[in-house]
Amino acid sequence: MVGIPMDEQGMRMDCLADTLEQLCAEGRKPRFIYTLTTYQNPTGTCMPASRKRELIALAKRYDVPLVEDNCYGDVHFEGPVAPALFAMDQDATAPAQHVYIGSLSKIFAPGVRLGYLCAAEPLFSQITGQRFDAGSNTFAAAVLAEFYRDGIASHVGHTTPALIRKRDLLLDALVANLSDQCLWSRPAGGLFLWLRLPADTDLEALRQLTAARGFYYAPGRDFHVAGKDVPYLRLAFGHVPDELISEGVGILAECITRCRTSNAARGFDTLFD
Ligand SMILES: Cc1ncc(COP(=O)(O)O)c(C=O)c1O
């Protein structure tokens, strides 16, 4: 895997262009470009339409298939629903080079283990021909099809308000406890936000201290392409009971303060360098 740096608007197209150019010059044509343009995991960022068009154009120019994972696309809180890359990539040659992936894990339940993909032939048959999963759960698929007979929108209409409440509780608690030390994303959908820690935080000490107090998060290194221990963490709010969110952020703030070598202000004004 080759990682492409990102910013508040998702994958950086200048870096992608440079990487594609370099790999192709070395005769290493990429098999595909994997992208999560909507409520990206772990940052919660969304790619604007102009950047999506650049991405589609770059994929075409270098003749590399796009694999679009839109598993959070239906967990939408506010603002207009952005068209998927797949919907924007509909000229005659595009579908042959584009795989669109969705999942029911984020809008129904992870345990149901059902997802779906859209792709044109021959790509579709090439992918399904590679499955070694002992068969899909067709019974669960039939139950889910019945459940969603009236469309997914009516179900997410019930679940979304609870998620918005949790996100807002988390944002309020972060403002109250961590404004001087950290920065974080404000996701318009999805199940988590991305928080930047001060550079002088002892990341391993923070993991241990928070875990000892029953507060768990996904450390930045889990999402880094080379496993680098970057000073970020992902806070997932979907599963946390409302009443624990503020208390938990208070614990996190105390632990961050204790794991730093100074009490200076955070020293950065953007989420990404
Ligand atoms: C970006 C991304 N893609 C795919 C999945 C997997 O979904 P599923 O439960 O359908 O395997 C996840 C789950 O966390 C995810 O974050």
Side-chain angles (χ1 to χ4, degrees), residues 3-270:
I4 307 294
M6 55 183 302
D7 61 19
E8 285 81 352
Q9 302 190 326
M11 195 194 302
R12 281 180 47 189
M13 291 304 115
D14 54 335
C15 301
L16 176 65
D18 289 349
T19 303
L20 287 170
E21 187 59 38
Q22 192 187 329
L23 290 173
C24 291
E26 292 167 8
R28 298 166 62 204
K29 186 174 159 183
R31 301 272 178 90
F32 57 85
I33 302 168
Y34 172 84
T35 181
L36 248 156
T37 60
T38 308
Y39 317 133
Q40 196 259 1
N41 184 5
T43 61
T45 52
C46 289
M47 193 182 282
S50 56
R51 201 178 277 200
K52 284 180 177 164
R53 281 192 286 273
E54 277 183 74
L55 176 52
I56 291 168
L58 278 172
K60 280 196 198 352
R61 187 178 322 146
Y62 288 91
D63 190 31
V64 178
L66 274 170
V67 175
E68 176 181 12
D69 186 346
N70 199 20
C71 67
Y72 296 100
D74 292 314
V75 189
H76 171 78
F77 300 156
E78 60 212 3
V81 175
L85 211 52
F86 193 71
M88 296 172 67
D89 187 14
Q90 292 299 327
D91 75 27
T93 56
Q97 290 278 60
H98 200 133
V99 182
Y100 178 91
I101 304 173
S103 169
L104 293 159
S105 287
K106 317 304 172 193
I107 49 168
F108 187 80
V112 73
R113 302 243 57 87
L114 282 175
Y116 50 91
L117 67 85
C118 306
E121 294 292 1
L123 206 49
F124 183 80
S125 294
Q126 285 167 355
I127 296 166
T128 52
Q130 293 293 318
R131 278 179 41 229
F132 297 105
D133 63 355
S136 300
N137 185 345
T138 48
F139 175 71
V143 171
L144 262 285
E146 191 67 28
F147 184 78
Y148 283 123
R149 183 189 288 276
D150 300 326
I152 282 171
S154 64
H155 177 61
V156 296
H158 292 295
T159 52
T160 299
L163 291 170
I164 294 176
R165 197 175 60 241
K166 288 176 194 296
R167 181 208 53 182
D168 290 345
L169 281 169
L170 177 57
L171 289 171
D172 290 348
L174 289 169
V175 169
N177 290 277
L178 278 165
S179 290
D180 53 338
Q181 304 193 72
C182 299
L183 274 180
W184 50 87
S185 56
R186 185 185 189 285
L191 301 171
F192 33 74
L193 59 75
W194 190 230
L195 180 136
R196 182 172 184 179
L197 295 162
D200 65 356
T201 311
D202 181 334
L203 302 173
E204 185 51 39
L206 184 63
R207 280 191 281 276
Q208 290 179 16
L209 197 59
T210 47
R213 299 197 52 191
F215 184 95
Y216 298 95
Y217 57 84
R221 70 165 181 217
D222 287 3
F223 304 96
H224 192 273
V225 68
K228 191 173 163 203
D229 210 0
V230 287
Y232 288 90
L233 49 89
R234 189 192 73 172
L235 296 178
F237 50 81
H239 194 61
V240 186
D242 291 9
E243 61 279 10
L244 292 184
I245 293 178
S246 311
E247 190 188 332
V249 173
I251 292 172
L252 176 66
E254 273 175 50
C255 295
I256 291 174
T257 305
R258 283 183 53 192
C259 292
R260 294 185 61 196
T261 54
S262 81
N263 59 5
R266 61 177 183 249
F268 47 82
D269 287 318
T270 51

